Amino acid sequence: AQSVTQLDSQVPVFEEAPVELRCNYSSSVSVYLFWYVQYPNQGLQLLLKYLSGSTLVKGINGFEAEFNKSQTSFHLRKPSVHISDTAEYFCAVRQILTGGGNKLTFGTGTQLKVEL
Amino acid sequence: GAVVSQHPSWVICKSGTSVKIECRSLDFQATTMFWYRQFPKQSLMLMATSNEGSKATYEQGVEKDKFLINHASLTLSTLTVTSAHPEDSSFYICSAHGPKTNYGYTFGSGTRLTVV
């Protein structure tokens, strides 16, 4: 089964500084990868996804991620963070199930805390 | 596009009663819906997957008689927590997937269930 690993449970960063949230996935022939953001007591909002094509994926709110097949990574980056970026961030991989179904498998999440 | 509405956003119920949570896809047909449970400061745990018109597929360890899932139409899925107990208190989130979501998964805003 495919899986993702988020090594950093918390990432503190000062406002306007760059940030990188790490995500590594288990190797597979083809992989669909996602980054979601969750604000307190809310559902998940899609930041960006990689399906195929260009390895640099641009998302909403100034975030981008780079798919690196050789390092099996899909790290999320933002060049300059804002206080409003404080939230929980989840990396996820789409799994194809026997029988043709699919589901998302999530990492454990990274709490991004932006400080003044 | 691809909006999912989840209701209620929060509910408090007495121990032993049942609670129904609704998840609606507003502008697309959700051929598959997913129900997750999230404990504080933890990742999302998939409870079950439901395809329209079929019985839900439950993840290992999830009691299907306790967490009843119905997906009777392409735009509506419900999760009923039967005979709720305090240990069922949690944040429940639905997600929908369909032909128009471009391999993406759209999440509802979540339901905070508190059983007293």
Side-chain angles (χ1 to χ4, degrees), chain A residues 32 34 36 38 41-46 49 51 88 90 94-95 97 102-109, chain B residues 32 34 36 38 41-44 46 49 59 91 93 97 101-110 112:
Chain A
Y32 295 170
F34 304 79
Y36 286 89
Q38 184 181 33
N41 293 309
Q42 293 188 29
L44 273 67
Q45 181 182 12
L46 179 67
K49 62 187 176 189
L51 305 179
E88 189 82 18
F90 292 99
R94 178 176 184 248
Q95 284 196 60
L97 307 174
N102 62 85
K103 69 176 184 180
L104 278 182
T105 297
F106 287 90
T108 50
Chain B
T32 307
F34 306 86
Y36 295 86
Q38 186 180 31
K41 298 190 185 300
Q42 293 189 27
S43 189
L44 282 72
L46 180 64
T49 303
E59 295 295 302
F91 194 58
I93 308 175
H97 175 73
T101 58
N102 190 23
Y103 300 101
Y105 303 78
T106 304
F107 286 79
S109 54
R112 172 73 58 193

Short mmCIF file of all heavy atoms in Angstrom, two decimals, chain A residues 32 34 36 38 41-46 49 51 88 90 94-95 97 102-109, chain B residues 32 34 36 38 41-44 46 49 59 91 93 97 101-110 112:
data_model
loop_
_atom_site.label_atom_id
_atom_site.label_comp_id
_atom_site.label_asym_id
_atom_site.label_seq_id
_atom_site.Cartn_x
_atom_site.Cartn_y
_atom_site.Cartn_z
N TYR A 32 -0.33 9.82 -7.53
CA TYR A 32 -1.01 11.11 -7.47
C TYR A 32 -0.84 11.65 -6.06
O TYR A 32 -1.17 10.97 -5.09
CB TYR A 32 -2.51 10.96 -7.78
CG TYR A 32 -2.85 10.51 -9.19
CD1 TYR A 32 -4.16 10.14 -9.50
CD2 TYR A 32 -1.90 10.45 -10.20
CE1 TYR A 32 -4.50 9.74 -10.77
CE2 TYR A 32 -2.24 10.05 -11.48
CZ TYR A 32 -3.54 9.69 -11.76
OH TYR A 32 -3.88 9.29 -13.03
N PHE A 34 -1.11 15.01 -3.18
CA PHE A 34 -1.91 16.17 -2.84
C PHE A 34 -1.37 16.84 -1.58
O PHE A 34 -0.79 16.18 -0.71
CB PHE A 34 -3.37 15.75 -2.56
CG PHE A 34 -4.03 14.98 -3.67
CD1 PHE A 34 -3.78 13.63 -3.84
CD2 PHE A 34 -4.92 15.61 -4.53
CE1 PHE A 34 -4.39 12.91 -4.86
CE2 PHE A 34 -5.55 14.89 -5.54
CZ PHE A 34 -5.27 13.54 -5.71
N TYR A 36 -3.09 19.40 1.34
CA TYR A 36 -4.30 20.05 1.85
C TYR A 36 -3.94 20.90 3.06
O TYR A 36 -2.99 20.61 3.80
CB TYR A 36 -5.33 19.01 2.29
CG TYR A 36 -6.03 18.29 1.17
CD1 TYR A 36 -5.50 17.12 0.63
CD2 TYR A 36 -7.23 18.77 0.65
CE1 TYR A 36 -6.15 16.45 -0.39
CE2 TYR A 36 -7.88 18.11 -0.38
CZ TYR A 36 -7.34 16.96 -0.89
OH TYR A 36 -7.99 16.30 -1.92
N GLN A 38 -5.72 22.64 6.61
CA GLN A 38 -6.88 22.58 7.50
C GLN A 38 -6.75 23.66 8.57
O GLN A 38 -5.78 23.68 9.34
CB GLN A 38 -7.00 21.21 8.16
CG GLN A 38 -8.26 21.09 9.01
CD GLN A 38 -8.39 19.72 9.69
OE1 GLN A 38 -7.39 19.10 10.05
NE2 GLN A 38 -9.61 19.27 9.85
N ASN A 41 -11.12 23.50 13.32
CA ASN A 41 -12.55 23.14 13.25
C ASN A 41 -13.14 23.30 11.84
O ASN A 41 -14.33 23.62 11.70
CB ASN A 41 -13.36 23.98 14.24
CG ASN A 41 -13.00 23.62 15.67
OD1 ASN A 41 -13.00 22.45 16.04
ND2 ASN A 41 -12.67 24.62 16.46
N GLN A 42 -12.32 23.08 10.85
CA GLN A 42 -12.81 23.15 9.48
C GLN A 42 -12.38 21.90 8.71
O GLN A 42 -11.56 21.12 9.17
CB GLN A 42 -12.28 24.40 8.77
CG GLN A 42 -12.81 25.71 9.34
CD GLN A 42 -12.42 26.90 8.49
OE1 GLN A 42 -12.23 26.79 7.28
NE2 GLN A 42 -12.29 28.06 9.12
N GLY A 43 -12.96 21.74 7.53
CA GLY A 43 -12.57 20.65 6.67
C GLY A 43 -11.25 20.94 5.99
O GLY A 43 -10.53 21.87 6.37
N LEU A 44 -10.93 20.15 5.00
CA LEU A 44 -9.66 20.31 4.30
C LEU A 44 -9.86 21.07 3.00
O LEU A 44 -10.83 20.85 2.28
CB LEU A 44 -9.06 18.94 3.99
CG LEU A 44 -8.19 18.32 5.08
CD1 LEU A 44 -9.02 17.97 6.29
CD2 LEU A 44 -7.47 17.10 4.56
N GLN A 45 -8.91 21.93 2.70
CA GLN A 45 -8.94 22.69 1.45
C GLN A 45 -7.74 22.28 0.61
O GLN A 45 -6.61 22.25 1.09
CB GLN A 45 -8.89 24.19 1.76
CG GLN A 45 -8.93 25.08 0.53
CD GLN A 45 -8.84 26.55 0.85
OE1 GLN A 45 -8.53 26.94 1.97
NE2 GLN A 45 -9.12 27.38 -0.12
N LEU A 46 -7.99 22.00 -0.65
CA LEU A 46 -6.92 21.58 -1.55
C LEU A 46 -6.00 22.75 -1.86
O LEU A 46 -6.46 23.80 -2.31
CB LEU A 46 -7.50 21.00 -2.84
CG LEU A 46 -6.48 20.54 -3.88
CD1 LEU A 46 -5.72 19.32 -3.37
CD2 LEU A 46 -7.19 20.22 -5.19
N LYS A 49 -2.14 19.75 -6.37
CA LYS A 49 -2.04 18.31 -6.61
C LYS A 49 -1.10 18.05 -7.77
O LYS A 49 -0.95 18.88 -8.67
CB LYS A 49 -3.42 17.72 -6.91
CG LYS A 49 -4.08 18.26 -8.15
CD LYS A 49 -5.51 17.77 -8.29
CE LYS A 49 -6.19 18.41 -9.49
NZ LYS A 49 -7.63 18.15 -9.56
N LEU A 51 -0.57 15.21 -10.68
CA LEU A 51 -1.10 14.03 -11.35
C LEU A 51 -0.10 13.50 -12.35
O LEU A 51 0.14 12.29 -12.45
CB LEU A 51 -2.43 14.37 -12.04
CG LEU A 51 -3.52 14.99 -11.16
CD1 LEU A 51 -4.77 15.28 -11.99
CD2 LEU A 51 -3.85 14.07 -9.99
N GLU A 88 -2.84 23.58 9.87
CA GLU A 88 -2.31 22.22 9.76
C GLU A 88 -2.26 21.87 8.28
O GLU A 88 -3.21 22.12 7.53
CB GLU A 88 -3.23 21.24 10.50
CG GLU A 88 -2.67 19.84 10.64
CD GLU A 88 -1.69 19.69 11.79
OE1 GLU A 88 -1.68 20.56 12.67
OE2 GLU A 88 -0.92 18.70 11.78
N PHE A 90 -1.57 18.82 5.41
CA PHE A 90 -1.54 17.38 5.21
C PHE A 90 -1.10 17.05 3.79
O PHE A 90 -1.63 17.59 2.82
CB PHE A 90 -2.92 16.76 5.45
CG PHE A 90 -3.37 16.80 6.88
CD1 PHE A 90 -4.24 17.78 7.32
CD2 PHE A 90 -2.94 15.83 7.78
CE1 PHE A 90 -4.66 17.82 8.63
CE2 PHE A 90 -3.36 15.85 9.10
CZ PHE A 90 -4.22 16.86 9.53
N ARG A 94 -2.92 9.21 -3.45
CA ARG A 94 -4.10 8.48 -3.90
C ARG A 94 -3.70 7.02 -4.12
O ARG A 94 -2.73 6.73 -4.81
CB ARG A 94 -4.61 9.07 -5.21
CG ARG A 94 -5.81 8.38 -5.83
CD ARG A 94 -6.23 9.15 -7.06
NE ARG A 94 -7.45 8.62 -7.67
CZ ARG A 94 -7.48 8.01 -8.85
NH1 ARG A 94 -6.38 7.86 -9.55
NH2 ARG A 94 -8.61 7.58 -9.34
N GLN A 95 -4.50 6.14 -3.54
CA GLN A 95 -4.27 4.71 -3.70
C GLN A 95 -5.34 4.13 -4.60
O GLN A 95 -6.52 4.43 -4.43
CB GLN A 95 -4.35 4.00 -2.35
CG GLN A 95 -3.15 4.17 -1.46
CD GLN A 95 -3.17 3.14 -0.35
OE1 GLN A 95 -3.15 1.94 -0.61
NE2 GLN A 95 -3.20 3.60 0.88
N LEU A 97 -7.32 0.86 -5.44
CA LEU A 97 -7.64 -0.36 -4.71
C LEU A 97 -7.96 -1.50 -5.67
O LEU A 97 -8.39 -1.25 -6.80
CB LEU A 97 -8.83 -0.12 -3.79
CG LEU A 97 -8.69 1.07 -2.84
CD1 LEU A 97 -9.99 1.30 -2.09
CD2 LEU A 97 -7.53 0.86 -1.88
N ASN A 102 -10.68 3.81 -5.25
CA ASN A 102 -9.53 4.59 -4.86
C ASN A 102 -9.79 5.27 -3.52
O ASN A 102 -10.95 5.41 -3.11
CB ASN A 102 -9.19 5.64 -5.93
CG ASN A 102 -10.30 6.64 -6.13
OD1 ASN A 102 -10.40 7.63 -5.41
ND2 ASN A 102 -11.19 6.40 -7.09
N LYS A 103 -8.74 5.67 -2.87
CA LYS A 103 -8.89 6.41 -1.62
C LYS A 103 -7.63 7.21 -1.38
O LYS A 103 -6.58 6.97 -1.98
CB LYS A 103 -9.14 5.47 -0.45
CG LYS A 103 -7.95 4.57 -0.07
CD LYS A 103 -8.28 3.75 1.16
CE LYS A 103 -7.08 2.93 1.61
NZ LYS A 103 -7.40 2.13 2.83
N LEU A 104 -7.75 8.21 -0.52
CA LEU A 104 -6.62 9.02 -0.11
C LEU A 104 -6.03 8.49 1.19
O LEU A 104 -6.77 8.15 2.10
CB LEU A 104 -7.04 10.47 0.13
CG LEU A 104 -7.17 11.42 -1.05
CD1 LEU A 104 -7.54 12.81 -0.56
CD2 LEU A 104 -5.90 11.47 -1.87
N THR A 105 -4.71 8.44 1.22
CA THR A 105 -4.03 8.11 2.47
C THR A 105 -3.24 9.34 2.89
O THR A 105 -2.46 9.87 2.11
CB THR A 105 -3.10 6.91 2.28
OG1 THR A 105 -3.87 5.77 1.92
CG2 THR A 105 -2.34 6.61 3.56
N PHE A 106 -3.45 9.76 4.13
CA PHE A 106 -2.86 11.01 4.62
C PHE A 106 -1.61 10.77 5.43
O PHE A 106 -1.45 9.75 6.10
CB PHE A 106 -3.88 11.76 5.49
CG PHE A 106 -5.00 12.38 4.71
CD1 PHE A 106 -6.15 11.66 4.46
CD2 PHE A 106 -4.89 13.67 4.22
CE1 PHE A 106 -7.19 12.22 3.72
CE2 PHE A 106 -5.92 14.23 3.49
CZ PHE A 106 -7.07 13.51 3.24
N GLY A 107 -0.74 11.78 5.40
CA GLY A 107 0.35 11.83 6.35
C GLY A 107 -0.17 12.28 7.70
O GLY A 107 -1.36 12.58 7.87
N THR A 108 0.72 12.36 8.65
CA THR A 108 0.32 12.70 10.02
C THR A 108 0.12 14.19 10.23
O THR A 108 -0.34 14.60 11.28
CB THR A 108 1.35 12.19 11.02
OG1 THR A 108 2.65 12.61 10.59
CG2 THR A 108 1.33 10.67 11.10
N GLY A 109 0.47 14.98 9.23
CA GLY A 109 0.22 16.42 9.31
C GLY A 109 1.40 17.20 9.86
O GLY A 109 2.21 16.68 10.64
N THR B 32 -18.33 8.60 -5.55
CA THR B 32 -17.76 8.00 -4.35
C THR B 32 -17.69 9.03 -3.24
O THR B 32 -17.31 10.18 -3.48
CB THR B 32 -16.33 7.48 -4.60
OG1 THR B 32 -16.33 6.62 -5.74
CG2 THR B 32 -15.80 6.72 -3.39
N PHE B 34 -16.41 9.52 0.93
CA PHE B 34 -15.56 8.98 1.97
C PHE B 34 -15.92 9.64 3.31
O PHE B 34 -16.21 10.83 3.35
CB PHE B 34 -14.08 9.27 1.67
CG PHE B 34 -13.63 8.80 0.32
CD1 PHE B 34 -13.79 9.61 -0.80
CD2 PHE B 34 -13.03 7.57 0.15
CE1 PHE B 34 -13.38 9.20 -2.05
CE2 PHE B 34 -12.61 7.14 -1.10
CZ PHE B 34 -12.78 7.95 -2.19
N TYR B 36 -14.46 10.29 7.17
CA TYR B 36 -13.26 10.27 8.01
C TYR B 36 -13.61 10.67 9.43
O TYR B 36 -14.57 11.40 9.68
CB TYR B 36 -12.22 11.25 7.49
CG TYR B 36 -11.65 10.96 6.13
CD1 TYR B 36 -12.29 11.40 4.98
CD2 TYR B 36 -10.46 10.26 5.98
CE1 TYR B 36 -11.77 11.15 3.72
CE2 TYR B 36 -9.92 10.01 4.73
CZ TYR B 36 -10.59 10.46 3.61
OH TYR B 36 -10.05 10.21 2.36
N GLN B 38 -11.52 12.34 12.82
CA GLN B 38 -10.28 13.00 13.19
C GLN B 38 -10.27 13.30 14.67
O GLN B 38 -11.16 14.01 15.16
CB GLN B 38 -10.08 14.28 12.38
CG GLN B 38 -8.73 14.95 12.60
CD GLN B 38 -8.57 16.22 11.78
OE1 GLN B 38 -9.53 16.91 11.49
NE2 GLN B 38 -7.34 16.50 11.38
N LYS B 41 -5.63 17.04 17.10
CA LYS B 41 -4.22 17.12 16.73
C LYS B 41 -3.71 15.83 16.07
O LYS B 41 -2.54 15.48 16.18
CB LYS B 41 -3.37 17.45 17.96
CG LYS B 41 -3.71 18.81 18.57
CD LYS B 41 -2.71 19.23 19.61
CE LYS B 41 -3.14 20.51 20.30
NZ LYS B 41 -3.28 21.63 19.37
N GLN B 42 -4.61 15.14 15.38
CA GLN B 42 -4.21 13.94 14.66
C GLN B 42 -4.66 14.01 13.21
O GLN B 42 -5.39 14.92 12.81
CB GLN B 42 -4.79 12.69 15.33
CG GLN B 42 -4.21 12.40 16.69
CD GLN B 42 -4.65 11.05 17.21
OE1 GLN B 42 -4.95 10.13 16.44
NE2 GLN B 42 -4.68 10.90 18.53
N SER B 43 -4.20 13.05 12.44
CA SER B 43 -4.55 13.02 11.04
C SER B 43 -5.96 12.45 10.85
O SER B 43 -6.63 12.08 11.82
CB SER B 43 -3.53 12.16 10.28
OG SER B 43 -3.73 12.27 8.90
N LEU B 44 -6.38 12.40 9.61
CA LEU B 44 -7.70 11.86 9.30
C LEU B 44 -7.63 10.34 9.20
O LEU B 44 -6.73 9.80 8.55
CB LEU B 44 -8.22 12.43 7.97
CG LEU B 44 -8.78 13.83 7.98
CD1 LEU B 44 -7.69 14.87 8.14
CD2 LEU B 44 -9.57 14.10 6.71
N LEU B 46 -9.64 7.18 7.78
CA LEU B 46 -10.74 6.79 6.91
C LEU B 46 -11.60 5.74 7.61
O LEU B 46 -11.09 4.74 8.10
CB LEU B 46 -10.21 6.22 5.58
CG LEU B 46 -11.24 5.77 4.57
CD1 LEU B 46 -12.08 6.96 4.09
CD2 LEU B 46 -10.59 5.08 3.38
N THR B 49 -15.85 3.91 2.75
CA THR B 49 -16.01 4.43 1.41
C THR B 49 -17.35 3.97 0.88
O THR B 49 -17.70 2.79 1.02
CB THR B 49 -14.90 3.89 0.50
OG1 THR B 49 -13.64 4.23 1.05
CG2 THR B 49 -15.01 4.45 -0.91
N GLU B 59 -13.48 0.36 6.75
CA GLU B 59 -12.09 0.05 7.06
C GLU B 59 -12.04 -0.90 8.26
O GLU B 59 -12.98 -0.98 9.06
CB GLU B 59 -11.32 1.33 7.37
CG GLU B 59 -11.21 2.27 6.19
CD GLU B 59 -10.39 1.70 5.05
OE1 GLU B 59 -9.20 1.37 5.25
OE2 GLU B 59 -10.95 1.60 3.94
N PHE B 91 -14.39 14.66 15.51
CA PHE B 91 -14.64 15.51 14.35
C PHE B 91 -14.79 14.58 13.15
O PHE B 91 -13.88 13.79 12.86
CB PHE B 91 -13.47 16.47 14.17
CG PHE B 91 -13.72 17.61 13.21
CD1 PHE B 91 -14.77 18.49 13.43
CD2 PHE B 91 -12.90 17.82 12.12
CE1 PHE B 91 -15.01 19.55 12.57
CE2 PHE B 91 -13.13 18.88 11.26
CZ PHE B 91 -14.18 19.75 11.48
N ILE B 93 -15.51 14.13 9.07
CA ILE B 93 -15.40 14.87 7.82
C ILE B 93 -15.75 13.96 6.65
O ILE B 93 -15.31 12.80 6.61
CB ILE B 93 -13.96 15.40 7.59
CG1 ILE B 93 -13.47 16.18 8.81
CG2 ILE B 93 -13.90 16.29 6.35
CD1 ILE B 93 -12.02 16.63 8.68
N HIS B 97 -15.83 12.44 -4.40
CA HIS B 97 -15.00 12.26 -5.59
C HIS B 97 -15.92 11.91 -6.75
O HIS B 97 -16.85 11.13 -6.57
CB HIS B 97 -14.01 11.13 -5.32
CG HIS B 97 -13.18 10.75 -6.49
ND1 HIS B 97 -12.15 11.52 -6.96
CD2 HIS B 97 -13.22 9.65 -7.30
CE1 HIS B 97 -11.60 10.93 -8.01
NE2 HIS B 97 -12.21 9.80 -8.22
N THR B 101 -14.25 16.07 -10.69
CA THR B 101 -13.30 16.58 -9.71
C THR B 101 -11.85 16.40 -10.17
O THR B 101 -10.92 16.69 -9.41
CB THR B 101 -13.49 15.91 -8.34
OG1 THR B 101 -13.33 14.49 -8.49
CG2 THR B 101 -14.85 16.21 -7.77
N ASN B 102 -11.67 15.89 -11.39
CA ASN B 102 -10.32 15.81 -11.97
C ASN B 102 -9.35 15.10 -11.04
O ASN B 102 -8.29 15.63 -10.70
CB ASN B 102 -9.80 17.21 -12.31
CG ASN B 102 -8.52 17.16 -13.14
OD1 ASN B 102 -8.25 16.16 -13.81
ND2 ASN B 102 -7.74 18.22 -13.08
N TYR B 103 -9.75 13.93 -10.61
CA TYR B 103 -8.95 13.09 -9.73
C TYR B 103 -8.76 13.71 -8.35
O TYR B 103 -7.99 13.22 -7.56
CB TYR B 103 -7.57 12.77 -10.35
CG TYR B 103 -7.68 12.05 -11.66
CD1 TYR B 103 -7.53 12.73 -12.86
CD2 TYR B 103 -7.96 10.69 -11.69
CE1 TYR B 103 -7.66 12.06 -14.06
CE2 TYR B 103 -8.09 10.03 -12.89
CZ TYR B 103 -7.93 10.71 -14.08
OH TYR B 103 -8.05 10.06 -15.26
N GLY B 104 -9.45 14.79 -8.08
CA GLY B 104 -9.35 15.42 -6.77
C GLY B 104 -10.43 14.93 -5.84
O GLY B 104 -11.33 14.19 -6.22
N TYR B 105 -10.33 15.34 -4.60
CA TYR B 105 -11.28 14.97 -3.57
C TYR B 105 -11.69 16.26 -2.87
O TYR B 105 -10.83 17.00 -2.37
CB TYR B 105 -10.65 14.01 -2.55
CG TYR B 105 -10.09 12.75 -3.18
CD1 TYR B 105 -8.87 12.77 -3.84
CD2 TYR B 105 -10.79 11.55 -3.12
CE1 TYR B 105 -8.36 11.62 -4.42
CE2 TYR B 105 -10.29 10.40 -3.70
CZ TYR B 105 -9.07 10.44 -4.35
OH TYR B 105 -8.57 9.30 -4.92
N THR B 106 -12.97 16.52 -2.81
CA THR B 106 -13.47 17.74 -2.18
C THR B 106 -14.03 17.40 -0.82
O THR B 106 -14.80 16.44 -0.68
CB THR B 106 -14.55 18.39 -3.05
OG1 THR B 106 -14.01 18.64 -4.35
CG2 THR B 106 -15.01 19.71 -2.45
N PHE B 107 -13.65 18.18 0.17
CA PHE B 107 -14.02 17.89 1.55
C PHE B 107 -15.14 18.79 2.05
O PHE B 107 -15.22 19.96 1.67
CB PHE B 107 -12.80 18.04 2.46
CG PHE B 107 -11.82 16.91 2.33
CD1 PHE B 107 -10.93 16.88 1.27
CD2 PHE B 107 -11.80 15.88 3.25
CE1 PHE B 107 -10.03 15.84 1.13
CE2 PHE B 107 -10.91 14.83 3.12
CZ PHE B 107 -10.02 14.81 2.06
N GLY B 108 -15.96 18.23 2.91
CA GLY B 108 -16.93 19.03 3.63
C GLY B 108 -16.23 19.78 4.76
O GLY B 108 -15.04 19.58 5.01
N SER B 109 -16.99 20.63 5.44
CA SER B 109 -16.40 21.48 6.47
C SER B 109 -16.31 20.79 7.83
O SER B 109 -15.79 21.35 8.78
CB SER B 109 -17.21 22.77 6.61
OG SER B 109 -18.57 22.46 6.82
N GLY B 110 -16.82 19.56 7.90
CA GLY B 110 -16.67 18.80 9.13
C GLY B 110 -17.82 18.98 10.10
O GLY B 110 -18.54 19.99 10.07
N ARG B 112 -18.50 18.55 14.30
CA ARG B 112 -17.98 18.29 15.64
C ARG B 112 -19.08 17.62 16.45
O ARG B 112 -20.10 18.24 16.74
CB ARG B 112 -17.55 19.60 16.31
CG ARG B 112 -17.17 19.48 17.78
CD ARG B 112 -15.84 18.81 17.98
NE ARG B 112 -14.77 19.51 17.30
CZ ARG B 112 -13.56 19.00 17.10
NH1 ARG B 112 -13.27 17.78 17.52
NH2 ARG B 112 -12.63 19.70 16.48
#
